[in-house]
Amino acid sequence: MKIVSSIEELRDQLRGQLRTAFVPTMGNLHEGHLSLMRLAKRHGDPVVASIFVNRLQFGPNEDFDKYPRTLQDDAEKLEKEGVYVLFAPTEKDMYPEPQEYRVLPPDGLGNTLEGEFRPGFFTGVTTVVMKLFSCVQPRVAVFGKKDYQQLMIVRNMARQFALPTEIIGAETYRAEDGLALSSRNGYLSATERTEAPVLFQTLNKVAEEVRAGRKEVAQLEQQAMTSLAQRHWQPDYVSIRRRIDLQPPSAADMEQGEPLVVLAAAKLGNTRLIDNLEI
């Protein structure tokens, strides 16, 4: 595996490649990330991974400086997975001058759910993803469904800009107890780690109620939020949305069986976890 940091080196390595499969990450890799590499390998060749902790998507009170950086360990894992090139740029490589041009998602998708609680987050995501796509020029790119809203925003961006990149969504990789794998799980204490699967259990309860025919969306959401709060979580949202556009479902949608997804974000101690489940 070749490790490159400059955009010029990356383009030299990939010149003439027409079937590149790309997996962008922020590093601190776990089995969930590695499953994305395996899926990428099934859809293209060579596989390129990137590791870049993107300052643009961190808010002023978020954990940019604390975010774990484990490049050597990550590189060893990627080499074992048969990744061809690891693009690991520095901030100077990615942003040699201030990134004044930004990609702004539409309000209806970018300022709801995660976007409401993390203002500017998705602008940072779409801007760096667009720039990474420009650097790598992949035929396919793989994103995990755990970040459901991010996947939808990137997929819509690629379609509206007519990018020559197919966006593939990978199923969420979970621990045996149901907890979605995330780099932030490392912040959990032993007691919190035991409690953490309750978030996915809560999503399952909401999904079961919807499948059983309950149509009172607001009531279901509030019950789930209250249940988490009673267990000393600090929920930001538990929300039932339409899969197609992440808008709240109408009464007609509920009657007609519109495909839905329930999404949640909540803090456990000092660690904010997100998860979702398609209904």
Side-chain angles (χ1 to χ4, degrees), residues 40-54:
K41 198 181 296 185
R42 298 207 298 269
H43 287 273
D45 180 59
V47 174
V48 176
S50 67
I51 292 177
F52 180 64
V53 183
N54 177 40

Side-chain angles (χ1 to χ4, degrees), residues 13-82:
Q13 289 295 332
L14 297 178
R15 191 163 283 117
Q17 299 286 359
L18 301 177
R19 297 184 61 248
T20 301
F22 178 46
V23 185
T25 82
M26 293 207 301
N28 192 30
L29 304 183
H30 50 64
E31 193 61 29
H33 293 111
L34 302 182
S35 72
L36 304 184
M37 308 299 161
R38 293 168 203 143
L39 183 59
K41 198 181 296 185
R42 298 207 298 269
H43 287 273
D45 180 59
V47 174
V48 176
S50 67
I51 292 177
F52 180 64
V53 183
N54 177 40
R55 187 185 293 272
L56 296 187
Q57 68 196 65
F58 284 79
N61 299 313
E62 294 184 332
D63 54 0
F64 176 78
D65 291 320
K66 286 197 309 176
Y67 198 88
R69 291 155 172 85
T70 53
L71 183 60
Q72 185 173 346
D73 186 47
D74 292 343
E76 291 171 6
K77 291 176 181 176
L78 293 174
E79 184 145 36
K80 287 177 184 171
E81 294 297 334

Side-chain angles (χ1 to χ4, degrees), residues 123-134:
T123 298
V125 169
T126 48
T127 300
V128 76
V129 169
M130 180 69 93
K131 193 158 190 176
L132 286 167
F133 282 2
S134 176

Side-chain angles (χ1 to χ4, degrees), residues 16-235:
Q17 299 286 359
L18 301 177
R19 297 184 61 248
T20 301
F22 178 46
V23 185
T25 82
M26 293 207 301
N28 192 30
L29 304 183
H30 50 64
E31 193 61 29
H33 293 111
L34 302 182
S35 72
L36 304 184
M37 308 299 161
R38 293 168 203 143
L39 183 59
K41 198 181 296 185
R42 298 207 298 269
H43 287 273
D45 180 59
V47 174
V48 176
S50 67
I51 292 177
F52 180 64
V53 183
N54 177 40
R55 187 185 293 272
L56 296 187
Q57 68 196 65
F58 284 79
N61 299 313
E62 294 184 332
D63 54 0
F64 176 78
D65 291 320
K66 286 197 309 176
Y67 198 88
R69 291 155 172 85
T70 53
L71 183 60
Q72 185 173 346
D73 186 47
D74 292 343
E76 291 171 6
K77 291 176 181 176
L78 293 174
E79 184 145 36
K80 287 177 184 171
E81 294 297 334
V83 170
Y84 174 62
V85 172
L86 168 57
F87 180 44
T90 65
E91 280 199 274
K92 191 72 174 168
D93 290 313
M94 277 300 284
Y95 303 126
E97 57 187 271
Q99 187 68 33
E100 294 166 339
Y101 287 82
R102 306 285 177 102
V103 180
L104 188 65
D107 282 350
L109 194 53
N111 290 339
T112 188
L113 301 169
E114 284 300 280
E116 178 183 347
F117 288 91
R118 302 180 68 188
F121 170 69
F122 286 119
T123 298
V125 169
T126 48
T127 300
V128 76
V129 169
M130 180 69 93
K131 193 158 190 176
L132 286 167
F133 282 2
S134 176
C135 296
V136 178
Q137 300 187 9
R139 191 185 70 81
V140 300
V142 178
F143 291 79
K145 280 190 180 181
K146 185 181 83 71
D147 298 291
Y148 201 91
Q149 188 175 5
Q150 172 180 279
L151 169 63
M152 178 164 287
I153 286 173
V154 169
R155 183 173 275 156
N156 289 357
M157 179 185 79
R159 185 184 68 251
Q160 288 201 6
F161 279 109
L163 301 180
T165 303
E166 178 189 356
I167 308 300
I168 295 172
E171 295 299 327
T172 301
Y173 200 97
R174 299 185 180 277
E176 286 186 11
D177 58 9
L179 178 65
L181 294 199
S182 168
S183 297
R184 288 191 168 93
N185 293 352
Y187 299 150
L188 297 168
S189 69
T191 304
E192 290 166 348
R193 176 61 187 83
T194 303
E195 171 69 14
V198 167
L199 187 62
F200 186 51
Q201 293 165 17
T202 301
L203 294 178
N204 274 287
K205 286 176 187 171
V206 173
E208 285 166 12
E209 294 273 14
V210 173
R211 292 188 192 113
R214 281 203 51 193
K215 297 179 175 60
E216 308 88 355
V217 169
Q219 190 177 3
L220 285 169
E221 292 170 345
Q222 189 55 54
Q223 284 175 351
M225 296 264 286
T226 300
S227 173
L228 287 169
Q230 287 172 345
R231 298 183 67 102
H232 307 294
W233 292 69
Q234 302 162 61

